[in-house]
Amino acid sequence: MTLRGKIIAGLLLLGIGGGVFWQLRASPPPPVTSPPAAATGPIGVGALGRVEPASRIRRLNQPGGMAVTRLDRLLVAEGAEVTQGQLLAEFADAGMKDAAAAQAEASLAEAEAQLARLRAAGRPSEIEAQRARIEAITAQQEIALRDAERAERLVPTGAGAIATADRSRATATRLAAEKREAMAALDSLLTSRPEDIALAEARVAGARAAVAKAFADAELARVRAPIAGTVLRIFVRPGDQVGADGVLEIADLSRLEIVADVYETDLPRVRQGAAAEVVVPGEAQRFAARVSDIGWTVRRQTQASNDPVAAVDARTVEVRLTLEEAGAAALRRRSNMQVQVAIRP
């Protein structure tokens, strides 16, 4: 080997040795660490949820179903506090249905008057007049009979006529029929027949049913508050046709809940009465809540998640949490807002 080759080989050996030395000095052995301790305590549950009144949000629509109705009067505004049963709105056919109800009431009054007349029979003045008529007919009948007998006695002597006797006899017969009719009328005035009373009672019952139906139809032309609460939204104004959205939304905001969608696999770790915290976007404070109800069915997740690796077809159970007073006061005007829920074990 030449001198130049020996020099190059020596430099290579020095470089390799120096690199190995530097590597050993620059990379000390990693410290020995103990394995992580296994978690021994219970694990809580996290879920997405939404703010909802405990009374639920009630959407009030026209009770007539598919009938196209125009709103005539709107008696409340958004944010108004209403009581249960309070009249909120009226449709355009309310006046017509009120008139039909008044007509039904008049028919009922007429039927009841006829029934009362049958039960009370005739008035004293009517009874006296009928008796006087019977007496007058009886007197006329006696006179006609006497005339007929007198005419029949005079026929053999030639002083009378057979025609006169026949007319008198016919008059007596007619008066006898009128007397029987008058006595029957008197009997009707004195006592009422059971079948007549039964018929009148049936007519009264039918009239009462017609009145109830008319008032029910008139009530369908109005919107009343099913609960005491606050008007949240109004969808139509006077003069507008009521559409699929209905007339307005109402809810009782005095008690708010959080509706959390808990994954079905996390449900065994959720218990009734468990404490929880609610994280509201934009709020630094966390609000306390407590599990009040656990749903009975598993369904698809309703709350949208921003997690790109979250399950698309996740199955969840609806869990309701009751907010404490501080949280209810802060979220009173945030119904349907999305929040995060942490349920403690």
Side-chain angles (χ1 to χ4, degrees):
M1 179 181 295
T2 61
L3 179 61
R4 182 179 180 182
K6 291 180 181 180
I7 294 174
I8 293 174
L11 291 175
L12 288 175
L13 289 174
L14 289 175
I16 293 172
V20 172
F21 178 76
W22 178 87
Q23 183 69 26
L24 293 176
R25 295 290 302 271
S27 300
V32 179
T33 59
S34 59
T40 58
I43 303 174
V45 174
L48 291 176
R50 67 181 184 275
V51 181
E52 184 174 280
S55 65
R56 314 299 198 268
I57 296 178
R58 310 288 186 89
R59 179 169 294 188
L60 307 184
N61 205 337
Q62 53 182 349
M66 298 300 295
V68 178
T69 308
R70 181 175 58 84
L71 188 67
D72 185 46
R73 291 202 305 160
L74 183 63
L75 306 177
V76 292
E78 290 184 352
E81 298 289 335
V82 299
T83 59
Q84 185 176 7
Q86 179 178 337
L87 182 62
L88 306 180
E90 284 186 352
F91 299 114
D93 56 349
M96 179 180 64
K97 291 182 176 180
D98 288 343
Q103 184 178 4
E105 282 187 318
S107 299
L108 174 61
E110 181 182 357
E112 289 176 342
Q114 291 177 353
L115 176 60
R117 181 178 179 181
L118 283 175
R119 286 176 174 172
R123 292 179 297 180
S125 58
E126 293 177 341
I127 294 173
E128 284 298 322
Q130 193 66 22
R131 285 175 175 170
R133 181 168 179 265
I134 292 173
E135 292 177 359
I137 292 175
T138 302
Q140 293 176 6
Q141 182 184 12
E142 292 175 355
I143 293 174
L145 289 174
R146 285 196 298 269
D147 290 342
E149 291 175 356
R150 187 181 301 111
E152 289 175 352
R153 287 196 301 269
L154 294 175
V155 169
T157 62
I162 298 177
T164 303
D166 292 340
R167 284 195 298 270
S168 297
R169 185 68 64 182
T171 301
T173 303
R174 177 177 58 80
L175 292 172
E178 291 181 0
K179 181 179 179 180
R180 289 194 298 272
E181 181 183 358
M183 292 180 68
L186 177 62
D187 185 64
S188 299
L189 291 174
L190 293 174
T191 58
S192 299
R193 295 187 303 172
E195 54 270 24
D196 291 340
I197 294 179
L199 179 61
E201 288 176 345
R203 289 175 177 170
V204 169
R208 285 175 180 167
V211 169
K213 180 180 181 301
F215 274 97
D217 290 340
E219 194 63 23
L220 292 179
R222 293 168 170 83
V223 177
R224 297 187 183 273
I227 57 173
T230 305
V231 177
L232 303 182
R233 295 178 63 188
I234 293 177
F235 299 103
V236 291
R237 301 293 173 180
D240 295 344
Q241 295 287 344
V242 181
D245 291 334
V247 179
L248 52 86
E249 286 182 346
I250 184 175
D252 182 9
L253 301 180
S254 61
R255 191 163 67 94
L256 294 182
E257 292 182 342
I258 301 298
V259 183
D261 287 334
V262 177
Y263 289 118
E264 56 184 348
T265 55
D266 294 337
L267 193 62
R269 301 200 303 274
V270 178
R271 58 182 177 83
Q272 194 86 10
E277 287 185 347
V278 179
V279 179
V280 180
E283 291 283 347
Q285 180 183 0
R286 293 192 174 191
F287 301 105
R290 194 166 293 275
V291 175
S292 59
D293 184 54
I294 301 174
W296 293 86
T297 58
V298 179
R299 59 181 185 176
R300 283 189 174 183
Q301 184 179 9
T302 59
Q303 299 293 332
S305 175
N306 295 325
D307 189 356
V309 298
V312 178
D313 192 23
R315 302 288 176 171
T316 61
V317 176
E318 190 175 272
V319 175
R320 289 186 169 269
L321 303 95
T322 301
L323 277 170
E324 294 186 356
E325 184 60 32
L331 303 178
R332 201 170 304 279
R333 302 187 66 169
R334 300 188 186 181
S335 296
N336 294 328
M337 183 179 187
Q338 189 182 69
V339 296
Q340 296 177 356
V341 179
I343 303 175
R344 295 177 182 174

